Amino acid sequence: MKRRCYALFAAAVVFAGLFCGCGKDSGSPVGGTEAEAGTTAVQQVTEPVTQETTGPVSHDGQTRSFLTGEWVDEQVAKRTPLAIMINNIEDADPQSGIDRAEIMYEAYVESDITRLMMLLQDYDDMKKIGPVRSCREFYVYFAKEFQAIYIHFGFSPLAANLLADSRVQALDGMYGWCDFYRTTDRVAPHNAYTTTEGILGSIKSKGWDSELAEGAESPLTFNENDAEEIVFENGVPCTSFKPGFKRNKPEFIYNADDGLYYRNQYGRAHCDMESGVQLSFKNILVKFVTGTKYENGTPILNLDGKGPGYYITNGKLIPITWEKDAQFGPTKYYYENGDEVIFNQGKTFVNIITVDDAKDVKYE
């Protein structure tokens, strides 16, 4: 595989006022002054780096994955994705089934506690998924972007009206869906698990469509050239990325040998309990949002409109922008010159970070 290089006129961050605290561990700010903000651009100006390829590959019986852009079995690619809420406090770690996540979201849910939501289509024969925890309303919107069926175990009262919306397809284990079971190795509420057999049985009982609507488009646009990967030659070097979540202290470490970012949290490798596999991702996406909090500390996130972000891949970071025009619509991502971001094929981790918490983001 060869890598396609994109040149940046500069690696400055678009919104300098926001990112003046988002810098390397050395404390160096990223970006210029406010007068310089918005002056950078992304251009496809260099020839792809040449490298030996293996020649034509047959993809009979396969099609592009809705979630990763990779070639997968046609039956897998047609499936309605599942979006499953995953408990992420230390008592719940390690979790089960998370190595199958094709897209993973993380955001604060209360105080300094985060929760994960994994999206997947390749979910055959998963006997233990979880521990699954309760809904927070903004995760429902994340699931809807990918037309996914949302799986949770309980919910915040603040999310009740949203879950009752006829446009939302959600299965709550607290009401008997998905054949949830509790294990004895952990105490409640950190021991509720489900299986894909249980989830699919509930989807069938509800009469919901288990296949994506024809013509469904992913919010993420992937590079379709299998012989090339996108590399931003003048992007900011990024071999370590810390989103700044305070309690679990996650970090993504870049491995140049396979081009993946490996995730740690709680001071150790973040691994799946069943397989022992450490979570790794080709793409890291950061969406900076504004927001406030309810009295109980649950965030109220403003997910619509426009804002700044980061795209990290192949050891480099570039500033991007995001736009979301409709409550249940997709978020689209753009380079600084207005062209849509093209993501490398593979798994993606999405960090949702408020403007107030942007100061805690570190990379080097």
Side-chain angles (χ1 to χ4, degrees):
M1 177 178 292
K2 57 186 178 181
R3 296 181 173 183
R4 177 188 302 163
C5 292
Y6 289 79
L8 305 182
F9 286 128
V13 172
V14 187
F15 300 96
L18 166 62
F19 292 110
C20 61
C22 301
K24 302 181 181 181
D25 283 330
S26 63
S28 302
V30 176
T33 65
E34 284 197 34
E36 296 169 334
T39 61
T40 63
V42 178
Q43 289 194 343
Q44 303 173 23
V45 298
T46 60
E47 292 298 319
V49 174
T50 58
Q51 189 173 349
E52 293 295 325
T53 59
T54 57
V57 177
S58 173
H59 294 290
D60 290 343
Q62 293 185 317
T63 192
R64 299 257 181 212
S65 167
F66 186 73
L67 300 179
T68 68
E70 297 172 313
W71 290 103
V72 297
D73 184 86
E74 287 180 354
Q75 296 306 310
V76 171
K78 290 179 181 178
R79 292 173 178 167
T80 300
L82 304 180
I84 307 174
M85 291 299 296
I86 300 293
N87 192 339
N88 198 41
I89 71 168
E90 192 164 12
D91 288 345
D93 185 35
Q95 302 99 334
S96 298
I98 56 173
D99 64 329
R100 302 282 288 272
E102 294 158 69
I103 296 176
M104 186 81 85
Y105 277 78
E106 182 171 25
Y108 281 127
V109 291
E110 55 194 59
S111 184
D112 58 359
I113 296 171
T114 70
R115 194 154 294 166
L116 303 173
M117 185 187 79
M118 68 175 188
L119 286 145
L120 68 167
Q121 289 178 296
D122 186 4
Y123 47 67
D124 289 326
D125 302 320
M126 296 178 69
K127 306 297 185 183
K128 188 178 183 182
I129 306 169
V132 178
R133 279 303 309 269
S134 60
C135 166
R136 294 296 185 273
E137 55 188 328
F138 42 90
Y139 280 99
V140 178
Y141 295 116
F142 301 151
K144 283 292 293 181
E145 291 197 28
F146 292 90
Q147 305 178 40
I149 294 172
Y150 183 70
I151 316 298
H152 59 110
F153 197 88
F155 56 89
S156 163
L158 303 168
N161 290 336
L162 178 59
L163 290 169
D165 192 300
S166 61
R167 293 169 292 181
V168 174
Q169 293 181 319
L171 297 169
D172 187 352
M174 290 284 285
Y175 287 86
W177 296 106
C178 303
D179 294 338
F180 273 87
Y181 63 94
R182 291 195 182 273
T183 62
T184 58
D185 59 332
R186 299 175 183 181
V187 299
H190 313 305
N191 61 352
Y193 294 84
T194 186
T195 65
T196 49
E197 182 179 2
I199 293 171
L200 294 177
S202 291
I203 291 172
K204 184 176 181 180
S205 295
K206 285 280 193 179
W208 292 341
D209 197 337
S210 60
E211 292 191 357
L212 281 166
E214 188 171 346
E217 293 186 8
S218 173
L220 305 182
T221 300
F222 292 100
N223 176 21
E224 294 191 353
N225 190 329
D226 299 327
E228 295 180 354
E229 282 191 355
I230 294 169
V231 176
F232 301 99
E233 66 172 11
N234 294 332
V236 178
C238 184
T239 56
S240 169
F241 177 75
K242 300 177 182 179
F245 297 122
K246 294 181 176 66
R247 180 174 294 202
N248 58 322
K249 295 181 172 60
E251 181 177 15
F252 297 85
I253 303 296
Y254 181 61
N255 182 343
D257 291 337
D258 60 10
L260 301 178
Y261 284 86
Y262 286 79
R263 179 177 161 92
N264 301 324
Q265 68 171 6
Y266 296 112
R268 56 184 178 269
H270 191 183
C271 298
D272 186 281
M273 185 174 182
E274 309 308 307
S275 68
V277 172
Q278 184 176 4
L279 301 190
S280 61
F281 300 88
K282 185 65 181 178
N283 305 307
I284 300 175
L285 185 58
V286 181
K287 181 179 179 180
F288 289 101
V289 301
T290 58
T292 58
K293 292 183 178 180
Y294 291 104
E295 290 182 0
N296 66 353
T298 298
I300 308 171
L301 302 180
N302 300 320
L303 303 177
D304 299 348
K306 300 179 181 181
Y310 290 151
Y311 174 38
I312 303 169
T313 192
N314 283 326
K316 296 292 181 69
L317 174 153
I318 63 164
I320 59 172
T321 60
W322 60 264
E323 295 184 14
K324 181 176 168 69
D325 298 328
Q327 185 182 41
F328 286 117
T331 301
K332 302 300 288 186
Y333 302 91
Y334 299 94
Y335 299 121
E336 294 179 80
N337 69 348
D339 292 342
E340 187 174 353
V341 171
I342 307 299
F343 292 90
N344 276 315
Q345 298 175 26
K347 296 183 176 184
T348 300
F349 196 104
V350 185
N351 301 272
I352 305 297
I353 301 171
T354 66
V355 170
D356 290 341
D357 293 319
K359 64 185 182 301
D360 299 321
V361 174
K362 305 290 182 184
Y363 55 83
E364 61 181 4

